[in-house]
Amino acid sequence: MSSSNPPSTHRADSVFDTALCVDDLRDALSAHGITLPSLRVDLPSFAGTYRPPAGLVALGNCNAATARRLVAVLRDTGTAPSRPPLDVELPAVPQALQGLRRTVRRYLDVPCADVQLCVTELVTNVIRHVGEGSAVRVRVARTDGNRVRVEVTDSAEEALPVSLPSAPDDETGRGLALLDAVALRWSVEQGVEGKTVWCELAGAE
């Protein structure tokens, strides 16, 4: 009688340990916005189908030890993995602006009128002062501190943006003034193959 108790105890402990691991893993993934329907399995019956019941959880072939490592990694990072930046190359033409604004909105996946405004104004600045049809590279990315960084690069190193005074009824010339109004900061970086005008804005929620 006594000889049969240890395996039974081991089995119960393994199932209980599996349940704890999966609960911890589910919570850690949830903190990163990740939900896995496969974790809704009936754990006692699931674990009981394996010999020995070593704690396989319903996440592929992940065992309890791997589940603990996943939980530790997810909790140590503090934030969800960042997305790669949006990186688009296109000709600077007015017809491209609407599609570019939509692309930025889809990338950030939240309303982002100020970000769209900055992208529009920076590309429009290239159209006006570098030349319509000039090649531009637009990059948008979330950065540390819940900010969004916008970069617009063109090949004209010498054509630096200059903020000029404008009258109330002027229809043009307000781009950099708008940038000053909505961006936390902005600047220009010159390189061997052109320049990049960049700005940072409070992160869109």
Side-chain angles (χ1 to χ4, degrees):
M1 190 69 156
S2 59
S3 60
S4 62
N5 286 335
S8 176
T9 302
H10 173 72
R11 179 188 177 89
D13 288 345
S14 296
V15 172
F16 181 71
D17 185 53
T18 300
L20 291 179
C21 286
V22 173
D23 285 340
D24 284 346
L25 183 57
R26 182 189 290 110
D27 291 342
L29 290 171
S30 178
H32 291 253
I34 302 171
T35 57
L36 295 177
S38 63
L39 293 181
R40 296 172 187 162
V41 71
D42 177 10
L43 288 173
S45 61
F46 181 83
T49 62
Y50 291 87
R51 297 292 185 271
L56 285 175
V57 299
L59 182 61
N61 289 322
C62 174
N63 58 29
T66 303
R68 291 193 192 94
R69 291 172 61 189
L70 283 170
V71 171
V73 169
L74 288 168
R75 287 178 173 167
D76 287 345
T77 58
T79 58
S82 59
R83 296 180 61 188
L86 173 68
D87 196 330
V88 180
E89 295 185 13
L90 70 159
V93 294
Q95 299 92 320
L97 295 175
Q98 184 175 359
L100 185 58
R101 287 191 291 268
R102 285 197 301 266
T103 299
V104 170
R105 170 64 175 81
R106 284 196 300 268
Y107 171 75
L108 293 174
D109 199 29
V110 289
C112 52
D114 286 349
V115 178
Q116 291 172 305
L117 174 64
C118 288
V119 169
T120 298
E121 291 301 330
L122 291 178
V123 174
T124 299
N125 196 63
V126 174
I127 295 173
R128 289 174 180 159
H129 301 291
V130 178
E132 185 170 337
S134 300
V136 294
R137 184 177 184 182
V138 178
R139 290 182 293 275
V140 178
R142 291 190 180 275
T143 67
D144 294 338
N146 192 32
R147 293 185 177 185
V148 175
R149 182 180 175 94
V150 174
E151 300 178 358
V152 174
T153 302
D154 64 74
S155 60
E157 180 184 357
E158 71 285 353
L160 299 178
V162 177
S163 183
L164 300 174
S166 59
D169 56 349
D170 286 347
E171 295 184 1
T172 62
R174 299 178 181 273
L176 295 183
L178 289 171
L179 206 61
D180 279 328
V182 302
L184 299 172
R185 58 178 186 155
W186 69 272
S187 187
V188 183
E189 295 177 357
Q190 293 176 277
V192 294
E193 297 182 353
K195 70 174 182 298
T196 297
V197 184
W198 62 267
C199 64
E200 288 186 356
L201 302 94
E205 297 292 346

